[in-house]
Amino acid sequence: MRTEIKRLNRAVTPQNRGLAEERIFSQVEQLEAFQEARCVAFFAALPDEVSTEKTLRKWSKTKRVVIPKVEGDEMDFFEYDPATLVSGAFGIMEPGDEAVLCRPEEIDLIVVPGVAFTRAGARMGRGRGYYDKYLSRNGFRACKAGVCYRHQLVGELPVEPHDVFMDCVISE
């Protein structure tokens, strides 16, 4: 399933990728959790994920935006500053060494990428468990919003005990 969805993601044209970004993140902005959030955890997209570049810049003007940084088997979130981003694990843009750490309990809304989702909130990630581990940390209480292209919504996914469900899933 991961291989097929990656293929479909890569087939999305740049124009449609931009339209999807606008549609998906305008829906996120309508969430009560977004409107009330002071701190939003977001992600810097891989080439086969819904683009986030414009939305990161936009949201960081009105919210405290934090993005992930992977070190070993752990992921933490740090304040977003486009001037200090560096290419990190897996070629993903990450905060540099001088970035300010955000504790899990400070996050009000987290926007989560995935390979596939169900409407019920099940999520298939890339297989390393970074998000599941982070979302299970002590003190984490944020609303969890999965985002994806329409073709990434599936009827069912295999679920394991450690898998964390999303509170909502938003597609184009």
Side-chain angles (χ1 to χ4, degrees):
M1 182 182 285
R2 283 186 175 101
T3 302
E4 177 60 14
I5 290 179
K6 274 187 184 182
R7 186 188 67 73
L8 292 170
N9 288 358
R10 288 188 183 122
V12 177
T13 66
Q15 180 182 0
N16 286 341
R17 190 175 298 279
L19 290 171
E21 177 182 9
E22 289 175 26
R23 288 180 186 138
I24 290 167
F25 296 124
S26 69
Q27 289 179 68
V28 172
E29 290 172 351
Q30 293 172 27
L31 293 173
E32 184 177 339
F34 178 84
Q35 293 172 11
E36 293 177 359
R38 289 185 306 269
C39 180
V40 176
F42 205 36
F43 62 99
L46 286 166
D48 66 336
E49 293 175 328
V50 175
S51 179
T52 58
E53 191 175 333
K54 290 179 190 172
T55 305
L56 272 167
R57 286 194 307 266
K58 178 182 175 186
W59 287 0
S60 67
K61 293 176 184 173
T62 59
K63 305 271 185 194
R64 178 183 180 205
V65 174
V66 295
I67 62 172
K69 180 176 186 172
V70 172
E71 293 178 314
D73 288 338
E74 295 295 318
M75 179 175 75
D76 284 300
F77 282 81
F78 294 82
E79 292 202 14
Y80 169 73
D81 178 356
T84 63
L85 295 180
V86 297
S87 182
F90 314 107
I92 302 170
M93 296 309 290
E94 295 183 340
D97 291 335
E98 65 283 353
V100 177
L101 177 68
C102 178
R103 296 185 321 271
E105 61 271 17
E106 295 176 69
I107 298 170
D108 301 306
L109 170 68
I110 185 166
V111 180
V112 182
V115 172
F117 294 91
T118 66
R119 290 261 179 229
R123 173 184 170 271
M124 175 187 282
R126 292 185 178 261
R128 300 256 176 140
Y130 292 112
Y131 275 93
D132 288 318
K133 285 187 250 180
Y134 191 84
L135 299 174
S136 298
R137 283 192 183 174
N138 286 335
F140 185 85
R141 55 162 182 76
C143 176
K144 301 171 291 296
V147 295
C148 63
Y149 295 115
R150 189 175 301 117
H151 62 261
Q152 291 176 274
L153 283 172
V154 298
E156 61 182 306
L157 289 169
V159 177
E160 297 183 33
H162 65 270
D163 290 336
V164 176
F165 275 63
M166 302 294 101
D167 297 310
C168 64
V169 177
I170 298 174
S171 182
E172 52 195 305

